[in-house]
Amino acid sequence: MRIALFITCFNDTLFPDTGKAVVHLLERLGHTVEFPPSQTCCGQMHFNTGYRPEAMPLVAGFVRTFGGYDAVVTPSASCAGMVRDSHPVLADQYGDDQLRREVGELVPKVHEFTEFLTDVLGVTDVGAAFPHRVAYHPTCHSLRGLRLGDRPERLLRAVRGLELVDLERPDSCCGFGGTFAVKNADTSAAMLADKTGEVTSTGADVLCAADNSCLMHIGGGLSRQGSAVRTMHLAEILASTEGDPR
Amino acid sequence: MSGTMDGRGVVFLGSPAFPDAARTALADTRLRTNLRRATTTIRDKRLQVTGELDDWEDLRAAGEAVKRRTLRHLDVHLLRLEESVTRAGGVVHWAADAAEANRIVTELVRATGGRDDETREVVKIKSMATQEIGLNEALAEAGIAAYETDLAELIVQLADDRPSHILVPAIHLGRAEIRDLFATEMARWGRPAPEGLTDDPAALAEAARLHLREKFLRAKVAVSGANFACADTGTVAVVESEGNGRMCLTLPETLITVMGIEKVLPSWRDLEVFLQLLPRSSTGERMNPYTSMWTGVTPGDGPRAFHLVLLDNGRSDTLADTVGRQALNCIRCSACLNVCPVYERTGGHAYGSVYPGPIGAVLTPQLVGVEHAASLPFASTLCGACYDACPVKINIPEVLTHLRAEVVEAKRAGRRLPSPEALAMKAATAVLVSPARLGYAQRAAALGGRALARRGRIGRLPGPFRGWSDSRDTPAPPTESFRTWWRKNREGEQG
Ligand code: SF4
């Protein structure tokens, strides 16, 4: 199986450790991962802010880059959701027949990282060790967009030494929402304040999720409050082992 | 405060854009406490009663299917409804917009017989359609007093305030505030509140009951909305919790119903789906305490004259949009408001519209035109909670992004120079179409970020990002992007 990593422009620039974790973990599980260097961005920011024509070259680029692989894995629930739900919408609205067909063929091969582990590779115990108190925040795109269900928790429960603690109101949005956090900064801050309060009250050392964007937002709030809670992408926890702890 | 309306009446004149209106609401801690408590309670009740039905998802699918099918041939169903209502002794009026609907209702009230003082007042059942057209204000201008008889609407009317919620219009007010309102304002409208009124809910309800009873017994004309109307039988249905609606629907001599054209259902049988979906989604009850249905007029029973005003007011335009038209499926249950994290913090007034919350964010811009409510499609994080809760499966996030694109296109068409945001988006595309340019940008960001950062974190930012950085730190970009790491560490291996 030829597996391509779609790191996403956001992780590539700000959270390279998440990409390294995905690579290390998949290699540890015996797979070879390729990183097509022509990849950039799925166009989510453009699409969600209303700039659809501007997203089109990115949709076309995505298809060109990943068209030849058996599986595309991405450590971002929101970007996976963008490809799955919105690339077909854009291709329908602005694309030609060929693009529509190519998007249609590629979409089923694009997997969010935890889906890829559980559904495609069929593993829940990835041999990780992470002796910390961890809270998992189901981001809106993992919960309601992709319907990841309990896949992330199943993976986390199999990690040695990890104590999983529950968030109060886990299904409530953290208030990030991409450009929402800039356009409606005050409302976003009010939502963030509730979320950081709920995180702190769990007594967790680490907050993890399947989206670095939401984690950056929540982590930014925690950091501003001087909290010691660390935020980490779930892939980094799963990549951690006794011999190579994170 | 409640008076001025704009355009088709749906938005309040001079309302600030959502982010500014939200700021005011967010600063009100009592409002936020009231909202959180109320929405959490209804939300939990809804989950409980929808969870106990095995076929809840099937019901949702059925509700959606009926609505979609009806909208596809709306003209046919409306003509059938007109025919059925007429056959049953009612009179149907067509209103293209708010002004026309108000004119029709005003003339109908004036035309009712009797002495002047009897015809100068009407009792009203809570109705979104009459709020949308600003009927109370139009009647007041014509010298006709309109009395709201729904408890929460009465509270809002006494406060000279606007409703903050579709179903719980006074959700933003606490018990003590309501007591004070009753004590000071009731006398102005009719029977005063009893001496020594407390803020005990039962005492408040009793005060409202006594106050309203006078109105029910005196009024000759009632105005209602409609939850549903069946095209095959001409039956109109209103569901409610307090029984005040039933009083309005049966006691007066003339009944005038104002109904949005999307409320029609093809047949009586369709009610079985919606009478299950609506109460469970809205108040978290298994059934509505009061369900009133009437078909034209019946001699010796109920009103002697029945008028049905069919209101368009932007709905035909909405129907023409194949993505946006699903907003017309809405049965006004308010489940989407109760689960919306944005609504929970800001309340309904911030939306500056008769329709607040997620449904308001998609319906309002369509009814009045996106350029008149341009900030509303952006008043959402696209978290999707509304879509999951909606009993008729309106894909609100889908319509939101669709309308965002329309807002952007409308702005593009309206100005000769692109906005700063449009320039930034264009620039972002220019960088993102090229991996090499993205690499440059990453190195520049890493350098710039490190210059701004302290201990790996960036504090306050300038320009449009100031709002963001008021309450969060931003991580400094790492020295090495993933693609650089890959080139150094893996590319050799793969050759
Ligand atoms: S959009 Fe759906 S959830 Fe919201 S009020 Fe309408 S029917 Fe209810």
Side-chain angles (χ1 to χ4, degrees):
Chain A
M1 180 165 57
R2 272 189 84 200
I3 305 170
L5 168 67
F6 172 43
I7 179 70
T8 80
C9 62
F10 184 79
N11 287 331
D12 184 7
T13 308
L14 287 174
F15 297 96
D17 288 347
T18 297
K20 293 176 211 169
V22 173
V23 173
H24 288 143
L25 175 58
L26 291 179
E27 286 174 352
R28 194 171 84 214
L29 294 173
H31 301 275
T32 307
V33 194
E34 296 178 49
F35 179 78
S38 62
Q39 64 177 280
T40 56
C41 166
C42 64
Q44 183 181 185
M45 176 181 73
H46 292 94
F47 183 83
N48 283 354
T49 318
Y51 291 81
R52 291 192 177 190
E54 284 82 349
M56 282 313 290
L58 303 174
V59 175
F62 189 86
V63 168
R64 257 198 321 274
T65 300
F66 292 107
Y69 290 90
D70 305 313
V72 183
V73 55
T74 181
S76 162
S78 74
C79 300
M82 171 69 197
V83 172
R84 196 169 295 172
D85 297 332
S86 307
H87 278 197
V89 171
L90 285 169
D92 269 348
Q93 200 175 350
Y94 300 98
D96 54 15
D97 282 348
Q98 190 188 341
L99 186 70
R100 268 196 288 276
R101 197 178 50 246
E102 286 171 351
V103 166
E105 282 165 11
L106 180 53
V107 159
K109 298 184 199 157
V110 176
H111 307 279
E112 183 278 333
F113 175 64
T114 61
E115 282 174 344
F116 185 71
L117 292 176
T118 55
D119 302 0
V120 181
L121 301 184
V123 287
T124 43
D125 185 347
V126 295
F130 192 74
H132 298 283
R133 240 172 116 85
V134 175
Y136 168 70
H137 169 59
T139 64
C140 300
H141 284 106
S142 358
L143 188 69
R144 286 176 290 261
L146 297 181
R147 308 232 174 251
L148 291 187
D150 66 348
R151 290 178 183 85
E153 280 104 330
R154 260 160 42 213
L155 290 161
L156 287 168
R157 278 205 197 91
V159 174
R160 310 290 170 264
L162 186 147
E163 185 195 346
L164 191 60
V165 293
D166 288 333
L167 274 176
E168 184 197 342
R169 311 214 320 162
D171 56 349
S172 75
C173 175
C174 70
F176 176 60
T179 44
F180 176 84
V182 178
K183 282 182 190 275
N184 285 285
D186 300 281
T187 309
S188 170
M191 293 163 71
L192 173 62
D194 290 341
K195 186 57 77 179
T196 51
E198 286 152 19
V199 171
T200 322
S201 72
T202 60
D205 317 318
V206 174
L207 177 76
C208 75
D211 275 293
N212 272 327
S213 48
C214 305
L215 284 175
M216 177 183 79
H217 168 75
I218 304 172
L222 289 166
S223 154
R224 181 63 59 88
Q225 294 160 16
S227 159
V229 181
R230 275 197 293 164
T231 48
M232 275 173 97
H233 193 282
L234 187 126
E236 292 180 60
I237 292 176
L238 299 181
S240 175
T241 55
E242 265 154 37
D244 182 17
R246 315 241 152 188
Chain B
M1 184 177 179
S2 54
T4 36
M5 305 278 243
D6 184 23
R8 284 161 166 164
V10 184
V11 291
F12 297 101
L13 196 68
S15 289
F18 185 84
D20 298 319
R23 196 169 304 127
T24 318
L26 289 162
D28 184 344
T29 46
R30 187 167 61 172
L31 170 72
R32 275 174 68 186
T33 315
N34 288 349
L35 280 168
R36 177 161 183 164
R37 190 181 310 127
T39 53
T40 311
T41 310
I42 317 178
R43 199 187 299 185
D44 293 347
K45 264 177 81 183
R46 180 184 66 85
L47 280 179
Q48 202 187 321
V49 298
T50 56
E52 65 189 24
L53 285 190
D54 298 337
D55 62 348
W56 180 249
E57 286 308 315
D58 295 339
L59 274 172
R60 286 179 77 206
E64 184 198 22
V66 172
K67 280 287 185 180
R68 287 202 182 221
R69 190 156 36 83
T70 312
L71 290 176
R72 267 204 298 277
H73 304 288
L74 189 59
D75 49 345
V76 176
H77 299 299
L78 287 170
L79 290 171
R80 278 189 74 201
L81 176 68
E82 178 178 37
E83 205 185 291
S84 308
V85 169
T86 312
R87 202 184 321 118
V91 184
V92 174
H93 311 259
W94 298 78
D97 58 16
E100 192 174 3
N102 286 329
R103 203 164 49 238
I104 293 169
V105 177
T106 309
E107 278 165 17
L108 286 172
V109 176
R110 281 202 175 128
T112 50
R115 298 186 310 277
D116 271 359
D117 57 342
E118 284 173 354
T119 54
R120 263 191 259 118
E121 60 181 33
V122 300
V123 285
K124 283 190 68 212
I125 308 177
K126 177 179 158 20
S127 134
M128 299 300 299
T130 61
Q131 261 174 43
E132 174 186 324
I133 59 176
L135 180 66
N136 290 10
E137 293 75 17
L139 289 175
E141 258 172 49
I144 302 163
Y147 298 112
E148 295 293 347
T149 65
D150 172 83
L151 177 55
E153 286 290 346
L154 171 71
I155 294 166
V156 170
Q157 187 172 46
L158 291 175
D160 194 19
D161 198 352
R162 281 183 208 150
S164 178
H165 188 280
I166 294 181
L167 200 83
V168 201
I171 198 168
H172 56 301
L173 297 174
R175 257 167 30 191
E177 289 168 277
I178 294 168
R179 190 220 78 96
D180 294 348
L181 261 177
F182 278 15
T184 56
E185 301 298 324
M186 262 187 180
R188 216 157 50 86
W189 293 82
R191 181 179 175 137
E195 287 290 316
L197 179 66
T198 66
D199 68 0
D200 173 44
L204 293 174
E206 180 63 9
R209 209 171 68 90
L210 294 171
H211 178 82
L212 289 171
R213 166 155 299 192
E214 268 185 12
K215 306 243 181 298
F216 292 134
L217 293 175
R218 206 174 60 206
K220 297 279 183 273
V221 183
V223 175
S224 86
N227 289 100
F228 309 101
C230 310
D232 57 349
T233 58
T235 306
V236 181
V238 159
V239 295
E240 38 127 9
S241 303
E242 295 164 13
N244 62 305
R246 174 151 298 178
M247 303 286 269
C248 293
L249 295 165
T250 49
L251 289 176
E253 288 165 10
T254 302
L255 173 60
I256 305 168
T257 298
V258 182
M259 168 190 130
I261 51 174
E262 81 281 18
K263 298 274 167 167
V264 67
L265 296 174
S267 87
W268 167 271
R269 277 290 310 264
D270 297 319
L271 284 175
E272 78 177 291
V273 175
F274 295 99
L275 292 182
Q276 295 183 74
L277 285 174
L278 182 55
R280 289 185 196 252
S281 304
S282 56
T283 46
E285 287 161 312
R286 297 181 179 92
M287 252 181 103
N288 278 96
Y290 296 89
T291 302
S292 304
M293 302 189 200
W294 65 98
T295 310
V297 288
T298 309
D301 182 14
R304 286 202 289 261
F306 168 56
H307 296 272
L308 180 63
V309 181
L310 295 173
L311 175 72
D312 186 318
N313 206 34
R315 286 163 176 77
S316 298
D317 294 347
T318 307
L319 196 60
D321 182 329
T322 50
V323 177
R325 71 163 61 134
Q326 54 184 308
L328 296 178
N329 291 6
C330 177
I331 56 173
R332 312 278 188 265
C333 72
S334 72
C336 58
L337 277 66
N338 299 330
V339 298
C340 176
V342 173
Y343 178 88
E344 184 190 322
R345 272 57 176 215
T346 63
H349 292 166
Y351 293 79
S353 159
V354 171
Y355 301 104
I359 182 60
V362 296
L363 186 60
T364 300
Q366 296 199 87
L367 292 181
V368 300
V370 286
E371 61 281 13
H372 294 118
S375 63
L376 291 188
F378 297 92
S380 165
T381 62
L382 304 177
C383 80
C386 48
Y387 182 24
D388 271 14
C390 180
V392 286
K393 293 183 143 186
I394 301 173
N395 189 338
I396 295 177
E398 178 190 7
V399 184
L400 284 168
T401 53
H402 170 75
L403 293 176
R404 288 178 183 190
E406 288 198 350
V407 171
V408 167
E409 293 308 322
K411 285 199 174 141
R412 255 203 262 262
R415 56 198 300 165
R416 272 187 300 152
L417 293 175
S419 68
E421 182 184 276
L423 286 174
M425 289 290 167
K426 232 182 144 78
T429 305
V431 170
L432 292 169
V433 290
S434 148
R437 272 182 236 153
L438 176 58
Y440 284 129
Q442 284 168 339
R443 284 191 288 281
L447 280 175
R450 277 207 306 288
L452 284 172
R454 280 164 173 259
R455 273 180 263 122
R457 295 245 149 216
I458 302 170
R460 310 277 153 164
L461 287 164
F465 299 102
R466 216 190 47 218
W468 159 275
S469 65
D470 274 351
S471 47
R472 331 155 177 76
D473 293 336
T474 310
T479 45
E480 191 179 69
S481 68
F482 178 82
R483 67 181 63 233
T484 308
W485 174 83
W486 178 274
R487 218 179 26 248
K488 288 185 187 160
N489 294 277
R490 286 292 189 283
E491 219 153 55
E493 293 174 17
Q494 284 192 356

